[in-house]
Each structure stands twice: as C-alpha cells, then as structure tokens.
C-alpha cells in the first residue's frame, strides 16, 4: 500500500478539500486526486464522494480513516526513529524515586549525550501503559503484564532487571537490629504497603509473596505518600514496609530508619520493559543492554510466576517449606 496515498487520504478527510490537502502536503491537487484514486482501486472501495464544496467520506472511508491515521503515525514514528537526534527517547517509570528512574539516571550519567525524557504516566493498569506504547505516547514503559499472552501483537515485553526487596523499619521495631533477614523471619510481623492498586502487577506480586511465604502484607487505609509512611515507621514498634534496594527514600536523621536486606532466598520484583515490536526507538537497545549489565540476582532468588527469564544464568527457586 502506498503510504503517501494513505497520507493524502487522511489530509483530504481532515480538510474536506483536495486543494487544502495538496497545500499541506506540498504537491498539486492533481497529485492528491491521483493518489486517492489509486488507493481506492487498491482497496476496491470508494472512500470519498465529490460534492460542490469538496469531498465527503463514504461509509467505507469513515471506517478506514482511524486505521489510516494509525498507518501515517506509524510511518512517521518509523522515520523519526532512524534519524539520529530527531527526538528524545521517552520512557515511562512508576515514579522518579523508583528503581527504574535510578537505573535510567545511572545510564544517562554514563551517556550524557543521550536525549532522554523520563516520564510518569500515573496509571495503575498495565494495559493503559501498553496502549500508551502503542499510540507512541512513550517509546517504552517499565511495566509488567502478568499474562504475556494477552499482549497485543505489535508490542513485546522484555526483562529489564530484578529489584531485590528490603525491609524498612523504625528503630523500635523488633527486627531493627538485624543485618539481614530471611523471609521466614518476617512471618507474624505486619508489613504495610499502602497504595497496592487492584489489578496492577504489584498487587499480584504481593498476593503471590503473601501466599508463598505466609506473610502478613496489607494495604489498609489511604495512601498519603512516602513522607507520611516514613513518619509512621519511625514512630512505630510493630509496622514495617518493603522497598526496592535501588529505590530512593529520604527521611530526617531523627527517624533513624533501617533498610535491611532479605536473603535466603532473595525476594525479587522483576521489572520489565514494554516496547513496540516494530520500529522501536533506536536508543532503547542501549538502555536494555545497560539493564542486562547490572549485577545479577543471587542463585537463590524468588520471583513471581509471571516473571520473565532474566537470561543471565540466575534462576528462580521455590520457597522453603
């Protein structure tokens, strides 16, 4: 299919005038008319009816228009993607203090010449992030779809890196003096993780974690943000939370909070990148390679059932009985 003919059709539909479409495209009206006629022959339908005022879409033309716009947008993205420096690499992260943002910042510090745009879509349903990738709103999203078989054919998901979990507690908590902890030692303690959104990949992650290791994890109450959470932990003798080892958390010195690694096995949140299957931004390859070069997880690492294979020799392990 002639993509310039499709572009001419879209512009004619938007303007309702072949001459206006021709002016927009920098060609003659005759050229636009010939392109649309050739497109109608290729599709074996009439896309427009000619009127004294210009052109109007037929029913077939109305049905074809949204798909034609997608074709034009895809071509534009493809062309832009192979032009060095034509546009910034736009990547969605869950938060600007999240492990994904930290890793991207480390990558950018090593490659300051890269035009990188880090954004936060603020959506909890991973399907919305997939739609944003499909639409070209972002080039990639650090999200995971727990059933990869449901992904649309035009996007794919690749393993980025594992985020090992740590227990974050205040100085009065009974586990505060520990250097490391096993999952078994967390049993019976209240682990509060506010903001677990139903239907999100992290909701499924915590469900599996709770079931596998018999933990007490809840998201009771409203989520007032990290600052309030840290205040509560500092004052509490029985509340803890889980954070990623690379996540950034800042608190006043008087809080005296402790981040305690978990091992035997390590508990890992698998972070994936969702990107377009065809014509991805050329800058993504280097980001994926950077993530693959991070230190691998220990051999004894637990991941949820939907985790993609890291492909670095480390493997998931079953939880201890």
């Amino acid at each position: 299919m002639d993509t310039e003919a499709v572009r001419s059709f879209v512009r004619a539909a938007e303007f309702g005038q072949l001459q206006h479409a021709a002016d927009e495209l920098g060609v003659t009206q005759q050229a636009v008319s010939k392109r649309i006629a050739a497109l109608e022959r290729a599709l074996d339908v009439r896309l427009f009816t000619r009127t004294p005022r210009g052109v109007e879409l037929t029913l077939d033309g109305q049905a074809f228009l949204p798909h034609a716009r997608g074709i034009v947008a895809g071509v534009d993205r493809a062309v832009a993607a192979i032009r060095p420096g034509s546009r910034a690499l736009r990547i969605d992260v869950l938060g600007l203090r999240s492990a994904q943002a930290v890793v991207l910042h480390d990558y950018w510090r090593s490659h300051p010449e890269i035009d990188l745009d880090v954004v936060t879509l603020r959506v909890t349903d991973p399907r919305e992030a997939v739609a944003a990738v499909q639409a070209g709103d972002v080039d990639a999203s650090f999200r995971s779809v727990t059933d990869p078989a449901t992904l649309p054919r035009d996007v794919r998901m690749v393993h980025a890196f594992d985020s090992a979990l740590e227990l974050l507690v205040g100085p009065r908590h009974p586990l505060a003096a520990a250097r490391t902890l096993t999952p078994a030692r967390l049993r019976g303690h209240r682990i509060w993780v506010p903001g677990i959104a139903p239907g999100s990949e992290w909701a499924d992650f915590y469900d599996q974690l709770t079931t596998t290791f018999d933990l007490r994890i809840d998201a009771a109450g409203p989520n007032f943000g990290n600052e309030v959470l840290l205040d509560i932990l500092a004052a509490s003798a029985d509340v803890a939370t889980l954070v990623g080892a690379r996540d950034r958390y800042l608190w006043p010195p008087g809080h005296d909070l402790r981040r305690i690694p978990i091992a035997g096995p390590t508990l890992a949140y698998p972070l994936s990148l969702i990107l377009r299957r065809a014509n991805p931004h050329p800058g993504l390859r280097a980001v994926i390679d950077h993530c693959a070069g991070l230190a691998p997880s220990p051999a004894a690492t637990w991941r949820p059932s939907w985790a993609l294979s890291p492909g670095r020799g480390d493997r998931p392990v079953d939880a201890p009985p």
Side-chain angles (χ1 to χ4, degrees):
M1 185 177 294
D2 183 349
T3 56
E4 287 308 307
V6 177
R7 188 185 302 275
S8 297
F9 161 74
V10 170
R11 293 295 178 263
E14 291 172 344
F15 289 112
Q17 294 277 346
L18 297 185
Q19 184 59 59
H20 291 173
D23 293 342
E24 170 78 8
L25 297 170
V27 297
T28 66
Q29 178 178 336
Q30 184 180 22
V32 169
S33 181
K34 286 183 177 180
R35 289 176 181 177
I36 293 174
L39 183 62
E40 289 177 324
R41 287 195 298 272
L43 297 174
D44 196 25
V45 296
R46 291 289 302 276
L47 299 172
F48 290 112
T49 57
R50 275 64 175 177
T51 72
R53 294 175 297 174
V55 290
E56 293 182 357
L57 288 169
T58 63
L59 291 178
D60 287 325
Q62 293 174 32
F64 183 60
L65 180 58
H67 303 287
R69 283 178 170 146
I71 292 170
V72 171
V75 170
D76 289 345
R77 287 195 302 267
V79 172
I82 60 175
R83 288 177 178 165
S86 62
R87 61 177 179 81
L89 171 61
R90 189 172 173 85
I91 300 181
D92 162 55
V93 298
L94 287 176
L96 295 180
R97 292 184 178 179
S98 67
Q100 308 102 308
V102 171
V103 167
L104 281 178
H105 182 238
D106 289 343
Y107 167 73
W108 179 81
R109 289 176 62 192
S110 300
H111 304 82
E113 74 284 359
I114 300 299
D115 192 5
L116 181 63
D117 187 9
V118 180
V119 302
T120 302
L121 291 178
R122 301 191 182 281
V123 297
T124 57
D125 189 335
R127 292 174 297 182
E128 295 182 61
V130 170
V133 171
Q134 285 183 293
D137 297 332
V138 294
D139 295 298
S141 175
F142 272 105
R143 308 288 172 129
S144 295
V145 173
T146 57
D147 184 1
T150 65
L151 281 170
R153 292 183 179 180
D154 55 345
V155 301
R156 65 189 182 107
M157 187 169 66
V158 298
H159 177 269
F161 62 93
D162 286 336
S163 179
L165 297 188
E166 297 176 336
L167 192 75
L168 181 62
V169 297
R172 298 171 53 210
H173 195 278
L175 299 177
R179 299 286 297 274
T180 62
L181 292 165
T182 63
R185 289 192 64 189
L186 304 182
R187 291 172 183 161
H189 295 280
R190 185 194 177 197
I191 301 173
W192 186 41
V193 186
I196 299 178
S200 64
E201 70 260 31
W202 54 92
D204 188 80
F205 171 85
Y206 284 116
D207 282 346
Q208 292 195 34
L209 187 63
T210 299
T211 301
T212 303
F213 294 97
D214 191 24
L215 302 183
R216 182 186 169 198
I217 298 175
D218 72 69
N223 179 16
F224 286 104
N226 288 338
E227 288 75 12
V228 172
L229 171 62
L230 299 177
D231 290 345
I232 292 172
L233 292 175
S236 175
D238 61 358
V239 178
T241 195
L242 292 170
V243 298
R246 290 187 176 91
D247 294 345
R248 282 199 183 104
Y249 285 88
L250 303 175
W251 55 80
H255 278 20
D256 193 22
L257 300 183
R258 291 87 186 278
R259 298 178 68 145
I260 308 171
I262 301 170
T266 295
L267 306 180
Y269 190 100
L271 293 164
S272 304
L273 266 174
I274 295 173
L275 61 151
R276 288 187 296 276
R277 189 174 295 278
N279 299 314
H281 192 289
L284 276 174
R285 181 71 267 168
V287 172
I288 293 171
D289 290 344
H290 175 80
C291 292
L294 298 174
S297 298
T301 294
W302 176 89
R303 302 179 185 86
S305 61
W306 42 264
L308 298 177
S309 171
R312 297 195 301 261
D314 50 338
R315 58 181 179 83
V317 297
D318 295 328

